[in-house]
Amino acid sequence: MKTLGQESPLQQGMARRQFLRYAGTGAAMAAGVLTIASCSKDHSATVTNDHVDLGSGDIAILNYAYALEQLEAAFYIQVAASPYANQSTYEKSLFTDIRDHEVAHREFFKAALGTAAIEGLTPNFSTINFSDRTSVLAAAKAFEDLGVSAYNGAGYMIQKVDYLALAGKIVSVEARHAALIRNLISPGSFADSTAVDANGLDGAKSPKDVVPIANTFLSGKKILAPALGIY
């Protein structure tokens, strides 16, 4: 079983380029985040039995997002590496783009957290048939919907404005992914009532609701965050 995010040198190079492009004019902000996180040794993640503790405060939220981005990046790396039967050139290009976005997100959080980052997690995608389009799209929909609702549900806990701004930028991209995947499954369903409520708002899930779902896709150490109410 590979650790999440093990990719080829070419993919690693793409990830670095994507990260730099993603950071853009926000490089100074990212540097500030990295400095703060690296200096926050009291909030470093620790291991409890077979769980990885995300830490506390804003560090816990960043590690929470980092854990989810590790999962999404690993999933799309595998999707892009082993296209399902009769995958069109169009769909392959879409999955390649999404993979690059998720790898960039993962690397952003890893760099921002510095020494406070949790370890690399190990995926368990045994319930997904990567050779079947229906299985892959259903899993992609589940991951994207979970990611959007996770960011929305944890946003109010973020104390530092810079962190909240970065999370807002990332969740907007995740929502674009979610809409695209839904449209591949059923054209025109990109923003139906199962995704957007009567007020035109995306759904939100608390970390307590998200983590048990994410843990089902992990082998070995699971996610633990007492500071976020996750035991």
Side-chain angles (χ1 to χ4, degrees), residues 43-93:
H43 299 299
S44 296
T46 57
V47 176
T48 305
N49 297 323
D50 61 342
H51 288 74
V52 176
D53 189 340
L54 303 183
S56 61
D58 281 352
I59 294 301
I61 299 297
L62 294 180
N63 267 320
Y64 172 58
Y66 177 42
L68 296 177
E69 295 295 351
Q70 285 191 56
L71 260 180
E72 287 193 279
F75 170 72
Y76 284 110
I77 285 170
Q78 189 159 340
V79 170
S82 54
Y84 46 74
N86 301 314
Q87 186 177 99
S88 68
T89 301
Y90 172 67
E91 290 189 3
K92 182 176 178 60
S93 68

Side-chain angles (χ1 to χ4, degrees), residues 42 65 77 86 91 130 158 198 219 222 227:
D42 291 340
I77 285 170
N86 301 314
E91 290 189 3
F130 285 90
I158 299 175
S219 291
K222 310 294 185 177

Side-chain angles (χ1 to χ4, degrees), residues 19 22 27 29-40 58-59 62-63 66 104-118 162-163 166 170:
F19 169 72
Y22 172 80
M29 180 185 293
V33 172
L34 190 153
T35 300
I36 294 170
S38 298
C39 293
S40 301
D58 281 352
I59 294 301
L62 294 180
N63 267 320
Y66 177 42
H105 294 169
R106 183 196 69 196
E107 293 305 298
F108 183 87
F109 282 112
K110 183 178 180 180
L113 283 157
T115 58
I118 59 172
D162 287 351
Y163 294 161
L166 291 170
I170 292 176

Side-chain angles (χ1 to χ4, degrees), residues 39-225:
C39 293
S40 301
K41 295 185 179 180
D42 291 340
H43 299 299
S44 296
T46 57
V47 176
T48 305
N49 297 323
D50 61 342
H51 288 74
V52 176
D53 189 340
L54 303 183
S56 61
D58 281 352
I59 294 301
I61 299 297
L62 294 180
N63 267 320
Y64 172 58
Y66 177 42
L68 296 177
E69 295 295 351
Q70 285 191 56
L71 260 180
E72 287 193 279
F75 170 72
Y76 284 110
I77 285 170
Q78 189 159 340
V79 170
S82 54
Y84 46 74
N86 301 314
Q87 186 177 99
S88 68
T89 301
Y90 172 67
E91 290 189 3
K92 182 176 178 60
S93 68
L94 294 178
F95 282 121
T96 299
D97 285 344
I98 296 176
R99 176 202 64 191
D100 292 348
H101 297 164
E102 301 298 359
V103 169
H105 294 169
R106 183 196 69 196
E107 293 305 298
F108 183 87
F109 282 112
K110 183 178 180 180
L113 283 157
T115 58
I118 59 172
E119 61 190 80
L121 303 173
T122 303
N124 180 357
F125 297 141
S126 59
T127 60
I128 303 170
N129 181 359
F130 285 90
S131 65
D132 179 71
R133 181 178 186 271
T134 299
S135 180
V136 168
L137 289 179
K141 176 179 177 292
F143 278 126
E144 296 298 349
D145 286 353
L146 185 67
V148 171
S149 62
Y151 276 101
N152 289 341
Y156 79 95
M157 301 179 186
I158 299 175
Q159 298 176 17
K160 187 172 177 59
V161 175
D162 287 351
Y163 294 161
L164 185 59
L166 291 170
K169 290 181 179 180
I170 292 176
V171 72
S172 67
V173 176
E174 298 292 351
R176 295 185 188 201
H177 295 167
L180 174 60
I181 296 298
R182 284 170 172 276
N183 218 46
L184 289 177
I185 294 173
S186 179
S189 65
F190 67 98
D192 62 18
S193 60
T194 63
V196 179
D197 65 21
N199 296 313
L201 301 175
D202 271 318
K205 290 183 183 294
S206 71
K208 286 183 67 176
D209 293 327
V210 171
V211 167
I213 299 172
N215 279 342
T216 64
F217 292 100
L218 292 174
S219 291
K221 293 173 182 175
K222 310 294 185 177
I223 304 168
L224 176 73

